[in-house]
Amino acid sequence: MDRVLIFDTTLRDGEQSPGISLDVGEKLEIAEQLSRLGVDVIEAGFPIASDGDFEAVEAIAKSVRGPVIAGLSRTGFKDVDRAWEAIRHAERNRIHVFIATSEIHMRKKLRMTPDQVKAEAGAGVARARSYTDDVEFSPEDGFRSDPDFMCEVCQVAVDNGAATLNIPDTVGFGLPEDYGKLIAYVFDTVTGDYVVSTHCHDDLGLAVANSLAGVTNGARQVECAINGLGERAGNAALEEVVMAIKTRSDYFAGVDTGIRTEELARTSRMVSRLTGYPVQFNKAIVGRNAFAHEAGIHQHGVLEDRETYEIIDAGLVGQEAAQIVLGKHSGRHAFSDSLDKLGLHLQGDALNQAFVRFKELADRKVQINEADLEAIVAAELGLGIVHKFAMVSLDLEGGTQRTPHAYVTLTDGAEKIEADGEGNGMIDAAIAAIAAATGVTGELTEFHVSSVTRGGDALGDVVLQLDANGVRAGGRGVATDVVEASARAYLAAVNKVVRLRERPEVRERAVGP
Ligand code: KIV
Ligand code: ZN
């Protein structure tokens, strides 16, 4: 089999999605799961962008084993040196150097002549190569560049030691046929020994199709992100690229990826939970309805033979999360065992707290399945992260006749804090009470409610974004009651705001591609 390398950029391009702000612990958690999933390369971040980005890339390079750990860099030596500093501890590392080659980017953004860009590319790649043998080069906005000039710059990069040429369709303008032709043109024009990679944005909804056209034309690396996260409309969705290649092995004859597809659904849920970006219900491969059959005729067909209406076995992508794993009689041992199986390793106080929360929920919800468990543990407790405020109780009064009123008791570890608040509805009142108790106020810029699984006792899952005077943070809360879930989500966002305020540089992006 000819391997198509999967280069995951969830933590770099994906993190550039508006409103996503992952801290180091969350990035590490995702990187560990990407390693479990079997990606070949993790682009862990853009180290020069901020101290927070640097710290996260360095932490991942130090502890995540398996994939190559890549850091993004512009061509300037300061960028390259910083990228190397962050990734140098990795078992295998890569510096990903980029500079724009399209006329509009060179003239309006870089204010450089084509010759200057060529010289920059050569110097940046050579500098990166002085640190590591594994250097990737990207001519940013490659698809809209003059192909001859783009190939000249790529040739300079290869001559200076780049082993991978990544051809970005930065603004998602390409159509599959054109993009495929561009990949073929690179092979015909640039001499040397290199792997060609695709990097397609989804502005026309064609990122996956374009990436696959690249593969058909010889690309052997695809840059993609879990759930298709990324700038604007996002990048090619990793799960879709991988499953298209696998499912249509008749078409992609002789090529495959090294992805452990059974981990796809879990990875998608984790990324959704930590980024606060919900997965569309009908999203291919990982959406909750991707294997649901509604029409009677379909249900009948599937019962007779799954293949009447399914081209993929749900189990193959880890979509069978409905099996019951625990109930209210389960003990701490079974609980911790189940978490371990999900790759959630909790110990000490974190395990005790998670177990208490699990028991509370199991009292109200008979069956706790895998998806519930993940949501409870990670959304409510935030693995390994110390939260300033925790919820002790929430009581509500009022309704359609009387103004809704909420009473909340929180603890900040040292003492209990009580406060109350009124609002237009129960959720509004609960949020007002938490704002009063914590002193953190702001504007809710996003608010989504859904259920973790199906059924009347499904856990309500609330994802929101809070803008507290310019400090933006996402929060997620899970509970059997939607008001409580909303309050927990709000508190999670408040805790994150407090953490970010303590480390303001974490979110200050100095630069961005
Ligand atoms: O879209 C793009 O061009 C990028 C590059 C930095 C590879 O993300
Ligand atoms: Zn991109």
Side-chain angles (χ1 to χ4, degrees):
M1 278 287 174
D2 205 355
R3 174 98 162 230
V4 175
L5 300 172
I6 296 297
F7 176 114
D8 179 277
T9 187
T10 309
L11 295 174
R12 200 279 297 168
D13 212 316
E15 216 232 354
Q16 286 172 216
S17 311
I20 295 187
S21 66
L22 297 167
D23 56 31
V24 177
E26 291 166 331
K27 286 189 183 176
L28 262 173
E29 200 181 329
I30 291 175
E32 292 286 0
Q33 178 60 25
L34 290 172
S35 162
R36 231 174 274 134
L37 177 66
V39 307
D40 298 284
V41 185
I42 295 175
E43 186 165 49
F46 189 15
I48 194 93
S50 70
D51 289 346
D53 272 51
F54 178 90
E55 211 183 290
V57 178
E58 187 183 45
I60 291 169
K62 281 184 174 164
S63 69
V64 176
R65 294 292 168 251
V68 170
I69 307 300
L72 183 68
S73 166
R74 291 172 300 186
T75 48
F77 288 179
K78 233 174 114 194
D79 275 47
V80 178
D81 297 351
R82 191 78 173 140
W84 169 247
E85 197 49 39
I87 58 163
R88 71 195 169 91
H89 299 285
E91 210 174 39
R92 290 181 297 149
N93 46 44
R94 173 179 299 188
I95 302 179
H96 178 187
V97 178
F98 76 98
I99 189 163
T101 51
S102 66
E103 215 263 325
I104 185 169
H105 276 232
M106 290 191 289
R107 195 158 46 86
K108 295 276 175 60
K109 186 183 80 170
L110 298 174
R111 295 183 204 286
M112 282 185 195
T113 64
D115 281 346
Q116 282 174 314
V117 166
K118 231 193 277 181
E120 276 285 316
V125 168
R127 180 75 164 198
R129 198 50 217 276
S130 72
Y131 293 123
T132 172
D133 289 347
D134 192 346
V135 176
E136 170 171 329
F137 174 72
S138 292
E140 192 192 6
D141 206 15
F143 185 81
R144 291 195 303 171
S145 303
D146 167 44
D148 291 324
F149 175 66
M150 187 195 80
C151 284
E152 273 176 45
V153 180
C154 285
Q155 186 68 63
V156 169
V158 170
D159 293 345
N160 280 279
T164 303
L165 288 179
N166 178 47
I167 310 300
D169 180 11
T170 303
V171 292
F173 187 64
L175 300 175
E177 202 184 330
D178 305 339
Y179 185 76
K181 279 188 187 152
L182 183 60
I183 298 297
Y185 190 67
V186 171
F187 280 118
D188 287 345
T189 315
V190 181
T191 57
D193 193 13
Y194 54 85
V195 172
V196 170
S197 167
T198 67
H199 181 108
C200 298
H201 279 266
D202 206 32
D203 300 65
L204 293 175
L206 292 169
V208 171
N210 289 344
S211 307
L212 294 173
V215 172
T216 313
N217 282 278
R220 287 297 174 266
Q221 175 176 287
V222 174
E223 299 199 358
C224 43
I226 299 294
N227 299 338
L229 292 181
E231 279 279 359
R232 305 181 312 280
N235 283 89
L238 181 150
E239 58 280 4
E240 294 176 21
V241 170
V242 167
M243 290 315 292
I245 291 174
K246 196 172 195 70
T247 310
R248 293 304 307 272
S249 55
D250 56 325
Y251 185 84
F252 295 100
V255 298
D256 203 359
T257 71
I259 294 295
R260 286 177 210 106
T261 57
E262 297 76 12
E263 293 288 334
L264 283 170
R266 179 175 305 154
T267 313
S268 160
R269 289 197 299 267
M270 175 190 281
V271 168
S272 165
R273 189 176 70 225
L274 293 175
T275 57
Y277 264 48
V279 175
Q280 157 194 345
F281 288 176
N282 58 336
K283 164 90 179 59
I285 317 296
V286 293
R288 82 170 51 152
N289 291 351
F291 298 91
H293 301 276
E294 187 69 20
I297 296 174
H298 286 215
Q299 290 175 348
H300 177 77
V302 170
L303 287 175
E304 285 297 314
D305 183 342
R306 186 186 63 72
E307 291 189 13
T308 50
Y309 285 102
E310 276 182 8
I311 57 165
I312 297 168
D313 178 350
L316 190 61
V317 297
Q319 271 274 39
E320 280 175 331
Q323 71 281 38
I324 301 149
V325 286
L326 294 169
K328 69 176 187 176
H329 301 296
S330 307
R332 183 185 306 263
H333 198 71
F335 175 70
S336 141
D337 251 21
S338 305
L339 292 184
D340 274 349
K341 281 192 199 119
L342 296 177
L344 304 167
H345 309 293
L346 290 198
Q347 285 167 344
D349 279 353
L351 177 61
N352 293 342
Q353 264 176 281
F355 186 63
V356 169
R357 181 89 185 100
F358 156 71
K359 280 288 188 186
E360 264 171 40
L361 279 157
D363 262 348
R364 287 187 260 165
K365 186 178 193 302
V366 183
Q367 301 168 347
I368 305 271
N369 66 36
E370 193 174 287
D372 293 332
L373 253 194
E374 284 175 2
I376 295 163
V377 173
E380 299 298 329
L381 294 171
L383 294 175
I385 296 167
V386 182
H387 292 320
K388 179 157 169 70
F389 300 107
M391 187 172 318
V392 177
S393 65
L394 171 69
D395 294 296
L396 303 155
E397 258 177 29
T400 53
Q401 303 292 318
R402 278 185 304 137
T403 308
H405 207 113
Y407 302 86
V408 71
T409 307
L410 306 180
T411 166
D412 64 3
E415 51 192 50
K416 286 196 171 158
I417 309 160
E418 292 179 348
D420 62 325
E422 279 185 1
N424 293 328
M426 291 297 186
I427 293 176
D428 203 27
I431 285 174
I434 293 173
T438 59
V440 177
T441 54
E443 190 195 337
L444 279 184
T445 53
E446 299 273 341
F447 192 89
H448 305 273
V449 185
S450 59
S451 60
V452 177
T453 42
R454 297 190 180 90
D457 66 348
L459 294 185
D461 182 1
V462 174
V463 177
L464 52 78
Q465 290 281 336
L466 173 67
D467 188 335
N469 293 325
V471 180
R472 278 177 295 151
R476 188 158 206 164
V478 180
T480 48
D481 173 74
V482 127
V483 180
E484 185 186 338
S486 306
R488 287 183 181 278
Y490 191 82
L491 191 59
V494 163
N495 277 320
K496 204 156 174 181
V497 167
V498 173
R499 284 205 304 279
L500 291 174
R501 278 184 183 161
E502 281 163 10
R503 301 264 336 269
E505 80 284 3
V506 171
R507 293 309 322 149
E508 269 170 25
R509 281 188 180 282
V511 286

